[in-house]
Amino acid sequence: MHAITISEPGGPEALVWDEVPDPVPGEGEVLVEVVAGAVNRADILQRQGFYDPPPGASPYPGLECSGRVAALGPGASGWSVGDEVCALLSGGGYAEKVVVPAGQLLPVPRGVGLVQAAALPEVACTVWSNVFMISHLRPGETLLVHGGASGIGTMAIQLAQAVGARVAVTAGSAEKLDRCAELGADILVNYREQDFVEEVKKATDSAGADVILDNMGAKYLDRNVRALAVNGRLAIIGMQGGVKGELNIGVLLSKRAAISATSLRARPLEEKAAIVAAVREHVWPLVDGGHVRPVVDREIPMPEAAEAHRVVEESGHVGKVLLIAPHREPDDTP
């Protein structure tokens, strides 16, 4: 088969479409013939040499994909050859084939094309686990999402709206904020021109946000805590703004607030399987019913992954950028 390889860390040009050995499914694993993969910020970090795959994972980038079951490994159950699926991966999505633990597979939801389904697993699992399983967002509460026009942001807006929460977002342009509003965001903050702490306080009668989903890390740490409501919960899922910041414990204590920080890729298999099962139970019915949809900015041929990385690094996109495997049939997207 072919896959995107990284001979040495570097810029987008480090991504090379090359012939590699076919993967073989092991105990409890399923072999998937990939139709599409999606680009995530973690893939860029891996390309740059800052985020190695966990032990035993595929060395190729790609944390989610869609495709068809091609074979079952020993002990794998619940799936059949030919099933159309999407998958949460520890790596290997930028390839024509990938092996996946059976517990990390999801059926393609009704009304979603096989190609577009590649945009769902990573964002759905990240948002559901952080905003709902850990931070317990409830109806009537306010969620602040940084990077509202990102793949994770567009999913968070839709899920929060679906459960009856109010959504505030930050984004860097009026066009991106308009797209967030179309998805259901209520409070729109241009972080280049406005202070999100002030804007969230203003929109909530000084109460603040009950839950904040943060991809920036250190840069926003102090302001995130100030933007929290009493009993607020800050969920940190990224480090785009650095890894070291100062925290005023007094402010945190006065608000009886909590901070969590998680990554999905390196979690044990049983934890990932539990998150995937929760997503199938709680999120998939919303997708099946048309209340939540994948947001895809563009599709790029997988051998041209370098161009896809340039698009994501320039941050001009809304939602997900997909990589289309060469063997994709022309009727995969409805």
Side-chain angles (χ1 to χ4, degrees):
M1 72 167 189
H2 284 79
I4 290 291
T5 62
I6 305 171
S7 57
E8 58 183 30
E13 67 281 356
L15 302 174
V16 178
W17 185 245
D18 203 357
E19 190 168 358
V20 298
D22 282 14
V24 177
E27 182 69 30
E29 293 181 329
V30 174
L31 178 66
V32 174
E33 184 180 54
V34 175
V35 166
V39 179
N40 289 279
R41 292 278 176 182
D43 305 334
I44 294 171
L45 291 175
Q46 180 175 339
R47 187 203 76 214
Q48 295 170 335
F50 300 131
Y51 194 22
D52 291 335
S58 169
Y60 317 124
L63 300 181
E64 57 192 335
C65 74
S66 61
R68 297 182 179 88
V69 173
L72 302 177
S77 61
W79 305 96
S80 300
V81 172
D83 284 347
E84 294 190 343
V85 297
C86 51
L88 179 70
L89 308 172
S90 297
Y94 292 20
E96 292 180 312
K97 297 177 183 177
V98 65
V99 293
V100 189
Q104 291 171 217
L105 287 176
L106 288 156
V108 173
R110 289 194 299 270
V112 176
L114 183 54
V115 168
Q116 291 198 333
L120 289 171
E122 176 74 13
V123 295
C125 290
T126 297
V127 172
W128 190 260
S129 62
N130 284 279
V131 174
F132 297 93
M133 296 175 72
I134 295 175
S135 299
H136 303 291
L137 181 71
R138 293 181 286 269
E141 291 190 324
T142 297
L143 168 68
L144 169 60
V145 182
H146 290 302
S150 66
I152 284 173
T154 55
M155 175 59 66
I157 293 168
Q158 295 180 81
L159 285 178
Q161 279 288 323
V163 302
R166 192 179 185 197
V167 185
V169 298
T170 63
S173 71
E175 292 77 15
K176 286 188 174 183
L177 290 173
D178 286 344
R179 293 293 301 278
C180 292
E182 291 171 5
L183 292 169
D186 306 284
I187 304 162
L188 309 174
V189 182
N190 187 325
Y191 67 79
R192 300 183 192 278
E193 302 172 356
Q194 299 170 291
D195 181 347
F196 70 80
V197 179
E198 293 180 2
E199 296 302 318
V200 169
K201 292 281 190 179
K202 186 189 307 181
T204 59
D205 294 326
S206 298
D210 300 288
V211 176
I212 299 177
L213 185 62
D214 174 57
N215 60 351
M216 293 300 293
K219 183 177 180 180
Y220 279 8
L221 180 59
D222 176 67
R223 284 193 288 162
N224 276 333
V225 172
R226 288 192 284 118
L228 281 174
V230 172
N231 295 315
R233 291 84 74 195
L234 168 61
I236 300 174
I237 60 170
M239 303 177 291
Q240 293 182 40
V243 299
K244 293 183 179 180
E246 290 191 2
L247 174 63
N248 187 324
I249 301 296
V251 176
L252 194 68
L253 284 169
S254 71
K255 295 188 175 187
R256 302 187 297 279
I259 299 176
S260 63
T262 70
S263 65
L264 192 56
R265 186 181 199 179
R267 289 193 183 202
L269 294 181
E270 58 272 17
E271 290 187 18
K272 291 183 184 177
I275 291 170
V276 169
V279 165
R280 185 169 183 174
E281 178 182 356
H282 298 286
V283 178
W284 251 226
L286 297 172
V287 183
D288 285 340
H291 304 291
V292 174
R293 311 298 294 171
V295 178
V296 176
D297 187 275
R298 68 193 74 184
E299 301 173 5
I300 294 175
M302 193 172 287
E304 300 172 23
E307 174 60 23
H309 274 221
R310 292 186 184 98
V311 168
V312 172
E313 287 182 285
E314 290 169 1
S315 295
H317 63 294
V318 174
K320 301 302 287 279
V321 174
L322 300 186
L323 296 171
I324 310 303
H327 56 251
R328 168 205 160 179
E329 292 85 346
D331 61 348
D332 281 324
T333 301

